[in-house]
Structures are given as structure tokens and as C-alpha cells.
Amino acid sequence: MQIIHRIPSVEEYLALRKVSGLSEMSVEGATKGLPNTLFAVVLEEEGQAIGMGRVVGDGGLFFHITDICVRPEYQGKGYGKAIMREIKTYLEENASPQSHAVLFADPPADQLYAQYGFTYTAPHSLGMWWKKE
């Protein structure tokens, strides 16, 4: 397995999200959004993308960790931890003490993120989102 710091292609991105059970995104959205990635890591096995993770945001104040996923047949082998180690290193090198790094966690993935210092915001604040219908 190789750890590569690169943005996944639109095709890799959409396929990895779908196969790993994340919500599907549009080609148009991925085409527009992926180039704005601050940091990305792709795990490859024999030239095939098997996992990924991204950091988006403004690069100074706010960092949003997203798209953490691994193909089902590779899960349970520590690859999610490898992705998070790379992201945590990026944050340590680029975020200031006043910066905020956030993510949305679906259980049981919240346990993975907790290993890298992420804590729940409640009751101090609650995550909210708006989604265009």
C-alpha cells in the first residue's frame, strides 16, 4: 500500500465514496470542488485508489476534514488510521492554535477520530448543516 499526497481524480473520488457507503456526489460538484482541496491523501494498492481523505477550508482559520473512506475489502487493516495520521500531520504543520479543525463523524468512525484528538462539541455547540433540496 502506498500513501500519496494528491487530490483524487473525479472518477476515483466518486467511486470511493459510493463503494464505501458515503453519500453520492455529482460529477459537477466533484469537478468544481476537488481542485479547491487544501490537502488530500490517497491510498493506492497496485495503482488503484483504495482509500482517501481530504481537508478543505480557508487554510488559516478553519479546516474541515472530509471524505475519509476506505474500500470495504481493505477495511479493518489500519488504512483509516494511516489516512488520519497524514491529515493530523498536515493540521499540526498548518493550523494555528486559534484555528478550528472540524469533521462530521458517523459512528463507529467517531472512535477513530477520537484517537487523533477530536472531541465532541456538544453541549458547547451543536453541528448543523444546510442541504439544498
Side-chain angles (χ1 to χ4, degrees):
M1 186 268 300
Q2 291 182 296
I3 300 171
I4 303 168
H5 294 174
R6 69 170 177 85
I7 299 171
S9 70
V10 171
E11 295 77 18
E12 290 170 327
Y13 175 80
L14 296 175
L16 282 170
R17 283 189 62 91
K18 183 175 183 177
V19 74
S20 66
L22 298 181
S23 59
E24 292 187 43
M25 298 294 186
S26 69
V27 171
E28 297 79 17
T31 300
K32 184 176 181 179
L34 289 173
N36 296 311
T37 301
L38 293 174
F39 175 78
V41 58
V42 175
L43 304 184
E44 289 186 3
E45 183 77 37
E46 298 179 9
Q48 178 189 18
I50 62 167
M52 68 176 176
R54 296 191 314 131
V55 180
V56 299
D58 62 22
L61 301 170
F62 296 96
F63 299 83
H64 180 86
I65 294 87
T66 189
D67 301 321
I68 308 295
C69 62
V70 175
R71 294 181 63 83
E73 62 269 30
Y74 292 94
Q75 292 176 4
K77 298 181 180 187
Y79 292 163
K81 289 181 180 180
I83 292 167
M84 285 306 299
R85 275 194 305 272
E86 298 299 311
I87 288 174
K88 184 71 182 284
T89 298
Y90 170 81
L91 292 173
E92 288 172 348
E93 293 173 355
N94 292 279
S96 72
Q98 293 79 27
S99 298
H100 293 276
V102 298
L103 55 78
F104 288 104
D106 295 329
D110 57 331
Q111 299 306 307
L112 168 65
Y113 306 133
Q115 294 174 38
Y116 294 90
F118 288 85
T119 60
Y120 297 104
T121 60
H124 305 291
S125 63
L126 299 175
M128 299 176 73
W129 70 344
W130 176 84
K131 190 172 180 182
K132 186 174 180 178
E133 300 296 327

